[in-house]
Amino acid sequence: MQTNEIIGLENKYHMNLYNRIPLVLERGNGVYLYDNEGNCYLDFAAGIAVNSLGHNDPDVTKAIKDQAEKLIHGSNLYHYESQNKLAKILVGNSSADRVFFANSGAEANEAALKLTRRYFYNQNQPKHEIIVADRSFHGRTLATLAATDRPKYQKPFQPLPTGFKVVPFNDLKAAEDAITPETAAIMVEPVQGEGGVRPASQDYLTGLRKLADEKNILLIFDEVQTGIGRTGHFFAHQAYGVEPDIFTSAKALGNGVPISALLAKEKVAKSFQPGDHATTYGGNPLVCSAALATVNKIIQPDFLSSVRETGQYLKESLENLSEEVSWLGPVRGMGLLLAVKTGDKTKELMTALRKQGILVLTAGEDLLRFAPPLIIKKEEIDQFIKVFKSLVKDPAFNRINL
Ligand SMILES: *Cc1c(COP(=O)(O)O)cnc(C)c1O
């Protein structure tokens, strides 16, 4: 089919929910993507921080093929070796004791909220309020939308579940002041993703842990974007040395197959009993085999240290550029989740990069976000920087107001 024919079908048959980029992606290999017209793109987006091992990783592809030939799905009425091996790895390499597999980030977060309710219900305590941070993003279901600080997105869907209180991110005092006898949990992203790639400060997360302990409330980390190696650590909470009571994982977990996880400490996890929560597909053998192959590679210390190294290299390269070009704002982020403030020309820069064969993300309206596959090499970062540099130094982009 011709490109315009394919895009025409979207316009005719899909609900009008995405402002898609006019590219028809057809295949990928490593850090490169190819469209249906044979054009090649260097991928600095990895889906949306999803394909951490890049595209067509031989081990993940083989795991999917082998599993598809054996059994795709069988429901959570039965046991699966891949599901249990994956559970063991996630628990053995994080602060959690138990896991529940779901299909998407929002679903894992929704389950985290249900687990919180169940925990306090079991204690005969009526706590139900959740403190969240400004510019948070936790998903698009009704409850996770209520937890997301986007009044504009929330408005058409009211009434939303109540009990969410928004406080400024990285402000420990504000979190402390917001706690009432009704407060059940504080939920934050260790590095805010959609809200602008803002890492939590060490004092903030350490302080929240202490606060949660003192006030008998739960600490929930949404690691949907930061988990599975993205920050150069298997989970971001390990970089901070702070153990949440509950955390969630999704995006990179299956390198592109839909799988997410809710993880929790035993004292909390044990509040769930059969019937409290469930999913039809969640953690089926197909996605668990893909996730197992993914996690087995990312968990390797050499792999994670190389993510820290390339992340640092990309950060420094961007910082050098930001120093040279007056209108580029500061660089922020952690590992290979980075962003630079590009002001009101963000969209134009993203388009210009694509036309030169590089795909990036935005975060909000004034930041370019970079989340390449974690296997990216320094030479490929150089390749990106060269193109990015020529663009930001182009006089056409010099009149940008931040
Ligand atoms: C992407 C994201 C979500 C939502 O994940 P979905 O799979 O789209 O439901 C939730 N929280 C964070 C931090 C995310 O980055």
Side-chain angles (χ1 to χ4, degrees), residues 68-325:
E69 282 175 358
K70 284 196 253 169
L71 181 70
I72 291 176
H73 176 84
S75 88
N76 286 309
L77 298 171
Y78 307 97
H79 299 273
Y80 305 96
E81 185 176 322
S82 57
Q83 197 185 58
N84 294 354
K85 279 184 168 168
L86 181 62
K88 185 174 178 204
I89 290 187
L90 293 179
V91 164
N93 291 279
S94 74
S95 67
D97 298 309
R98 288 183 188 271
V99 66
F100 163 78
F101 290 114
N103 309 284
S104 68
E107 239 183 292
N109 286 338
E110 185 89 19
L113 297 170
K114 279 183 74 177
L115 178 59
T116 302
R117 290 269 177 101
R118 191 62 162 113
Y119 174 74
F120 287 108
Y121 178 86
N122 285 10
Q123 298 183 10
N124 272 325
Q125 292 192 65
K127 296 178 175 215
H128 70 282
E129 269 177 19
I130 312 279
I131 295 172
V132 295
D134 67 342
R135 300 196 228 185
S136 60
F137 182 81
H138 297 299
R140 312 254 184 197
T141 63
L142 286 176
T144 58
L145 181 62
T148 291
D149 177 36
R150 300 278 170 95
K152 202 176 86 184
Y153 290 177
Q154 293 176 346
K155 197 157 179 263
F157 304 106
Q158 279 164 347
L160 294 176
T162 53
F164 294 92
K165 226 189 233 181
V166 180
V167 297
F169 185 62
N170 266 339
D171 183 339
L172 188 60
K173 178 79 170 40
E176 184 167 8
D177 290 347
I179 294 172
T180 71
E182 309 276 278
T183 304
I186 301 176
M187 175 157 152
V188 292
E189 299 153 77
V191 181
Q192 289 193 324
E194 307 304 308
V197 189
R198 296 194 297 166
S201 69
Q202 179 68 51
D203 286 351
Y204 184 55
L205 294 191
T206 310
L208 288 182
R209 178 67 274 169
K210 203 163 153 264
L211 204 55
D213 290 338
E214 284 165 10
K215 308 274 183 178
N216 181 30
I217 59 184
L218 298 178
L219 182 60
I220 307 173
F221 283 174
D222 178 344
E223 290 229 37
V224 167
Q225 190 154 164
T226 55
I228 319 294
R230 179 53 57 189
T231 66
H233 301 265
F234 192 46
F235 287 104
H237 68 257
Q238 295 162 327
Y240 288 90
V242 173
E243 301 200 343
D245 301 295
I246 299 174
F247 66 96
T248 54
S249 172
K251 287 188 164 81
L253 181 54
N255 205 49
V257 304
I259 178 170
S260 67
L262 163 70
L263 294 116
K265 293 271 188 205
E266 179 68 13
K267 76 161 187 183
V268 185
K270 72 178 183 205
S271 355
F272 264 169
Q273 293 302 317
D276 281 341
H277 197 62
T279 161
T280 298
Y281 299 130
N284 79 21
L286 185 76
V287 297
C288 283
S289 298
L292 193 57
T294 304
V295 164
N296 269 330
K297 284 181 119 164
I298 293 180
I299 198 83
Q300 299 305 322
D302 285 355
F303 187 95
L304 289 169
S305 67
S306 97
V307 173
R308 292 196 290 274
E309 207 177 293
T310 43
Q312 190 58 28
Y313 185 70
L314 175 57
K315 193 173 189 190
E316 281 167 13
S317 306
L318 287 166
E319 277 166 353
N320 290 340
L321 204 52
S322 163
E323 268 169 37
E324 264 181 69
V325 179

